Every structure is written in C-alpha cells, then in structure tokens.
Amino acid sequence: MTQQLIDNLKEIVGEEFVKENENMAKHCTFKCGGNAALYVIPGSIDELVDTVKACRAENAPYMVIGNGSNILVRDEGYDGIIIEVNSRVNTIDVIGEEIVADAGAKLSAIAMTAAVNDLGGFEFAHGIPGNVGGAVVMNAGAYGGEMKDVIKWVEVLDKNGNVRKLDISELDMGYRTSRIAKEGMIVLQMCIGLFIGTSEEISLIMQMLMQKRKAKQPLEFPSAGSTFKRPEGYFAGKLIEDAGLKGYRVGGAMVSEKHCGFVINYSNATATDVLQVINDVEKTVKEKFNVTLEPEVKII
C-alpha cells in the first residue's frame, strides 16, 4: 500500500484510528495470530464506506472484521488493511417493534435493548459473541433461532461501491451463509422485526439460554466458538469425540474436553497450533467416518 493511501485513510477516520503493524491477537477471541500491516477503525457508516472505497481505488488488499469472534489470523500476519467495524459503529435504535442497528453493534447489546423495551424474538442471539455485520453475513444462530428469522432488511455496500438496501427475500440466507457472503458485500446496517412481550419473561429466557451455554461450552478459554460447521446429518462435536479426539493437543491448542466442537487456546497457543489441530481433526474424522468437516472459523 502507498503512503498516499495511508494518509487518505488518516484523513477519513482520524490519525489515531490508523495503526501500522497491529498485533491481531488483541482483536480476535482466539487471542493469537500475527500482525496486520495496517489497522483502520472507522467511526461511522460513512467513514466505513469511504475507507472501503479508498482501499478499492488503489486495489489494496483489505478485510472487514467485527468483534473478531469468528476469525483466526495466521502467525505470518496479514499484509493488507484490516478494517474494524466494532464499538465506533454501533448505534441501536428502537422504532416500534423494530430495531435498527449498525454493523458494529453487539448482538448481546441488541438483545438487552430488546428486553428493556419489551420486545421478544431475539433472545437466541444474546449469548452469541459477535456483531451485526458478521452475524448477518453468516446467518448466525443458536438455540433454534437464526438471523434470517428476524431480519427485515439490510443495508450493504456492494462490490461496485453502491450502498443498497436489500429486503430479507433478497438475501438468500441459509445455514451459515447468505447472498452477502457469496457476493462479497459489506454489511452497514440491519433492521429486525420483533414482537411485544414482557421484559421479565424475555430476560428469563435469555438467562436460561446463557446458563445452557455456560454449562456446555468452554467459555473460560479463548476460542472462536464452534470451530466447524454442522455436517448434514451429523453433529461435528460428536464426530470429533467418537474419533477419540477429545482433549487432543498441539502446542497450546486443544480440542475442548467440555465440548469437542470447540478448538480452544488453553495455554498460549499460536495460530499455527490452532490450525494444526483443525487440520488433524478434519483428517481424522474423514478417515474414520468419511465425513468432511468444514471450518466455521475464517482463516486470514
């Protein structure tokens, strides 16, 4: 990337929000990985759009991330621009029975906002450790609910630099995928439709789901949540356990003994350690059961 581009990005978002050679272990929930050549943090949707357009104008490699809860950056790092859409682009507005939220808004914050305003239907997302952008792209879900169940429309930046509002019927949302993912669009904002309930009942459901999550998942260790997508007709965690891989370790990375669907950083793991565990699990499950596991985690 050129110095001119760096200067342009500083002009767009402010000098303090452009960081060179940034350690990505600080920005992903795996707590490991290499550095990004440039790390940019826009402060609004307009700044996000202008940042992406500036990168595209110079054909500079870039990637947009949110809370870093579903990524793993290789130890070699990323020789491009990481654009963080997180706490600086996180407005949440309640409009009747709808909530409009920016791409950087946390799902947990939206769920709490819904509860306070007596709006039900988003309880499933309370414990998902991600933001709107990533959740929409991959149609995040848990405990019987998915983003496609509540989304009404999404505002995106398409590959041609156009800001577009897409209705749910145009999003082609499936299991951990969407049209947005397939066409490389960038989520800017979403609107979800909920229903009137009572804050007490809604909060109770969220508490129950969180207790289930804590009981079954290794939340005490750094990870990216479920490491693998659910193969059709199977459960990834059970396949991995049946393959004898519970507690399987490489360096500081391990298949969780609490939930085999999670690869965790249990002791200062490197990204290489994590990737080796993922690869070994895929190979062993394929050999033993002829089932192909596909990572849910995005490797950068």
Side-chain angles (χ1 to χ4, degrees), residues 179-214:
R179 175 186 174 188
I180 296 171
K182 294 169 186 171
E183 297 186 16
M185 299 177 185
I186 295 168
V187 175
L188 305 176
Q189 199 173 58
M190 77 165 183
C191 174
I192 56 174
L194 305 177
F195 56 83
I196 298 295
T198 65
S199 60
E200 292 81 5
E201 290 179 0
I202 294 164
S203 296
L204 182 60
I205 292 171
M206 292 197 304
Q207 288 171 20
M208 290 170 59
L209 293 181
M210 184 56 77
Q211 287 170 1
K212 279 187 179 182
R213 189 178 287 270
K214 288 179 178 177

Side-chain angles (χ1 to χ4, degrees), residues 90 134 156 235 283:
N90 66 352
V156 300
F235 291 99
K283 181 180 178 183

Side-chain angles (χ1 to χ4, degrees), residues 92 99-111 114 120-155 166-169 171-180 187 189-194 213 296:
I92 301 171
I99 292 180
V100 176
D102 290 349
K106 287 182 169 51
L107 300 186
S108 57
I110 297 171
F122 204 64
E123 296 90 339
F124 73 90
H126 178 239
I128 299 175
N131 293 356
V132 165
V136 173
V137 169
M138 66 177 291
N139 186 27
Y143 298 110
E146 293 180 296
M147 296 301 294
K148 70 179 178 63
D149 300 331
V150 294
I151 288 174
K152 299 194 77 170
W153 54 259
V154 177
E155 188 175 77
L166 302 176
D167 184 80
I168 180 62
S169 63
L171 295 178
D172 191 24
M173 300 185 86
Y175 176 65
R176 301 299 177 263
T177 190
S178 67
R179 175 186 174 188
I180 296 171
V187 175
Q189 199 173 58
M190 77 165 183
C191 174
I192 56 174
L194 305 177
R213 189 178 287 270
E296 193 169 296

